[in-house]
Amino acid sequence: MPSLQNNAATPETNATPGAAASPQVGARFADVGSRYYGIMLASMAVIVILSNIGASKGVLFGPIVTDGGFFLFPFAYILGDVISEIYGFKMARKAIFTTFALSIFASLSYWVIIALPGFTDDYGVAKQHALVEALGPVPQIVLASLLAFLAGQTINSLIMVRLKARQGERKLWMRLMGSSGVGEFIDTLIFCTIAAPVIGIVGFGMFANYVLVGFLYKVGVQYLLVPVTTLVIGWFKRHEPSYAI
């Protein structure tokens, strides 16, 4: 079997002559030469950028406090799980840093768009005001996302890969649930702490509501989608040419 180029750990064989080889546990990962990695990286970046815009809006569902990006962000972690399982920690980290860089670029673009001189008629003034209100807080949201996603996704990916080194291809559901729970908690706590004042969340009770609802929602979505995520990962493992099974 040809050796893999991306963090592939080849299992050692300890079989003795005349004895059947026992099942070996080893972490195997695909190379990134195919088109799949690029598609997943681009999808993660778009989801995070849109989440940053949506997160600038506070949202109320009765007593539940959240933000406008709540329905998108869990999918960034699901993509992170898929990338970590298929391509390994090194390429997952590359996807995280690339997403951050693109988020910063988007934020700088918003600043330039807002600073450009606009039309001075009533419509132009209203349009400028709407842009400032919608995109103005985004840099602070991006800062929250940068720190939170960096910590949460890195830990999420690291747990996925460390568990896979012990389990091999077995117990994927355990890796998905364990890494998501820890990563999402750290992500949510950091993000909410920085973003809450920008969104307009004040007081400990409202803040605790924001953190708890955000964490439970994100983890709940990921746990509900574990069967789907497992099927998606299985599909990539079968169709990714360099993935060794």
Side-chain angles (χ1 to χ4, degrees):
M1 179 182 295
S3 61
L4 301 180
Q5 300 177 7
N6 181 36
N7 299 335
T10 304
E12 296 179 358
T13 303
N14 298 318
T16 57
S22 60
Q24 301 296 324
V25 174
R28 301 176 180 180
F29 302 105
D31 199 2
V32 294
S34 74
R35 64 185 183 275
Y36 298 122
Y37 178 79
I39 292 173
M40 284 189 279
L41 190 155
S43 299
M44 177 185 288
V46 170
I47 288 172
V48 171
I49 290 171
L50 291 177
S51 297
N52 291 338
I53 296 173
S56 64
K57 176 181 178 178
V59 174
L60 284 174
F61 291 107
I64 297 175
V65 180
T66 183
D67 58 63
F70 78 96
F71 66 97
L72 282 170
F73 198 73
F75 295 101
Y77 264 80
I78 291 173
L79 281 170
D81 286 340
V82 176
I83 292 174
S84 299
E85 177 72 15
I86 301 297
Y87 299 102
F89 179 71
K90 181 179 178 180
M91 301 316 298
R93 184 177 59 189
K94 180 178 179 180
I96 294 168
F97 287 144
T98 301
T99 298
F100 286 164
L102 292 173
S103 295
I104 293 173
F105 176 75
S107 183
L108 293 174
S109 298
Y110 303 147
W111 282 343
V112 172
I113 293 170
I114 290 172
L116 289 173
F119 295 163
T120 57
D121 60 351
D122 291 342
Y123 177 77
V125 172
K127 191 85 168 184
Q128 175 70 11
H129 179 73
L131 284 172
V132 171
E133 290 298 316
L135 300 181
V138 167
Q140 291 94 317
I141 299 296
V142 169
L143 174 62
S145 178
L146 285 173
L147 297 178
F149 197 58
L150 176 62
Q153 265 286 17
T154 300
I155 291 174
N156 177 78
S157 177
L158 189 59
I159 292 174
M160 281 281 295
V161 173
R162 289 287 177 86
L163 288 176
K164 186 175 182 180
R166 298 179 181 181
Q167 299 169 345
E169 298 298 318
R170 301 176 295 109
K171 299 181 180 179
L172 174 58
W173 63 271
M174 182 184 294
R175 295 196 290 278
L176 292 172
M177 297 182 75
S179 62
S180 297
V182 178
E184 285 287 17
F185 176 75
I186 294 173
D187 183 291
T188 303
L189 183 61
I190 294 175
F191 179 82
C192 292
T193 301
I194 299 174
V198 180
I199 297 172
I201 294 175
V202 294
F204 178 77
M206 198 173 184
F207 173 76
N209 188 322
Y210 185 38
V211 173
L212 183 62
V213 169
F215 171 69
L216 292 178
Y217 168 77
K218 293 171 186 177
V219 172
V221 169
Q222 288 188 251
Y223 282 7
L224 286 174
L225 291 178
V226 161
V228 177
T229 306
T230 301
L231 292 175
V232 171
I233 288 175
W235 186 91
F236 278 110
K237 287 181 177 180
R238 292 191 302 272
H239 290 83
E240 177 60 73
S242 63
Y243 192 86
I245 299 181

